[in-house]
Amino acid sequence: MGVVTRYALLLALTAGIACVPAAVSAQPPPEPARAVDAARLVSATPGPGRVVDLVVHSAAMGKPVHVAVLPAPDRAAAAPVLYLLNGVDGGSPTDDWRDGHNWLTRTDAERFLADQQVTVVVPIGGAGSYYTDWISDDPVLGRQRWTTFLTQELPRVIDAEFRGSGANAIAGVSMAGTAAFHLALAAPRLYRAVGSYSGCVSTSGPQGHAIVNTVVSGQNGDPVNMWGLPGNPLWAANDPLLHADRLRGLAIYASSGTGLPGPLDHPDGPGIAGDTRKLLDQLLIGGILDAVTDLCTRQLATRLTDLNIPATIDLRPTGTHSWGYWQTDLHTSWPLFAEALQVR
């Protein structure tokens, strides 16, 4: 996430935490659009290490989408799939994951999961999109049909190419933490587990509008093209907090720091490398961002408790909005995901 976007998002987040809207007034999230033509694999190129770089044509978006895959160690055996979504910038300013900040460049996901019989899928792109299906094409961001791509098109390609077992989990950071829960609701039989790391699940109400508007406009998109003007029923229909009752039966993990400096917030911390400006940004902006996502995560925890839905909520006493902590969250949440995916 760029510094300008982080500052803008900070202003939106600190506008105030809205109360949970009444769930009875909301309609269920709409079904994702169905692609007219089948998606297809364009190319699969071996990358560095275990990475396989895929290019998948999305019929829904009418364009190729780049996807980085870490195949399960035993390619001859069926394997479940863990989808890891990147944050507000989609993981890279280009189609190449090597050029950006994402699960492969900023965490040890490749090494950590190397001996686990699971295929790890990291889509690249979708900056500011919330990985949802937009109602209108955007002049800058183009056609956004990420819900259709991620729940209908991509899984078929992944399962065919990497012997998917039919068991899937999805998790994301920041903006993608919201999206992971949205996608779990949009495709209720696709995933067995869902996770959010430093995300704000609610998208409706004054705070939700402020956050979404800032994230989308920070990538030069028009939020009206996503779910319409504020007050459009689509905002509430796509709010996972309102529809949390439909999460029952999933393995759920949500985490956040409090924004207080933690063990990774120092000059030699992950991604800082002695850069004073990076450290100050992580402490000040990243600190306030996670102070707010801490409140969002507590809000989700309360909602799930009220609904008597089991969940693992990891409220770390310290920590900022940064990849080092999200790597820790991946490690912490993996046993829950592994059990849901039946990884042995």
Side-chain angles (χ1 to χ4, degrees), residues 87-173:
V88 65
D89 63 358
S92 176
T94 70
D95 290 329
D96 193 332
W97 60 267
R98 301 163 186 81
D99 297 333
H101 294 173
N102 52 67
W103 283 104
L104 297 179
T105 61
R106 297 303 301 270
T107 78
D108 67 350
E110 179 178 0
R111 184 174 66 253
F112 175 65
L113 297 170
D115 62 348
Q116 302 293 311
Q117 185 61 12
V118 62
T119 298
V120 181
V121 177
V122 183
I124 303 300
S129 69
Y130 274 91
Y131 295 108
T132 189
D133 283 353
W134 290 32
I135 61 175
S136 301
D137 293 353
D138 188 83
V140 175
L141 300 182
R143 179 164 297 175
Q144 305 292 324
R145 298 288 188 273
W146 284 95
T147 297
T148 300
F149 176 73
L150 292 171
T151 64
Q152 296 180 34
E153 298 182 324
L154 183 60
R156 288 198 293 267
V157 172
I158 295 297
D159 288 349
E161 295 297 319
F162 298 95
R163 296 201 63 185
S165 68
N168 304 284
I170 188 165
V173 302

Side-chain angles (χ1 to χ4, degrees), residues 192-216:
R192 296 185 181 182
V194 58
S196 169
Y197 311 135
S198 295
C200 274
V201 172
S202 181
T203 57
S204 62
Q207 182 214 6
H209 284 299
I211 296 172
V212 172
N213 286 340
T214 302
V215 167
V216 175

Side-chain angles (χ1 to χ4, degrees), residues 255-344:
S255 63
S256 179
T258 61
L260 296 174
L264 304 182
D265 300 303
H266 56 80
D268 296 322
I272 298 176
D275 189 321
T276 301
R277 290 174 298 178
K278 290 183 179 179
L279 178 59
L280 288 176
D281 174 73
Q282 184 163 305
L283 287 170
L284 298 177
I285 307 306
I288 296 176
L289 289 177
D290 248 36
V292 176
T293 61
D294 173 69
L295 296 176
C296 292
T297 305
R298 292 176 186 274
Q299 187 182 54
L300 174 63
T302 298
R303 178 89 169 115
L304 294 174
T305 298
D306 290 344
L307 292 168
N308 197 29
I309 295 177
T312 298
I313 308 296
D314 187 5
L315 298 170
R316 292 182 273 103
T318 60
T320 57
H321 206 73
S322 51
W323 279 103
Y325 291 104
W326 298 333
Q327 172 178 290
T328 299
D329 291 338
L330 175 63
H331 289 207
T332 304
S333 60
W334 173 244
L336 178 73
F337 291 165
E339 181 178 1
L341 296 172
Q342 297 183 328
V343 176
R344 302 291 183 238

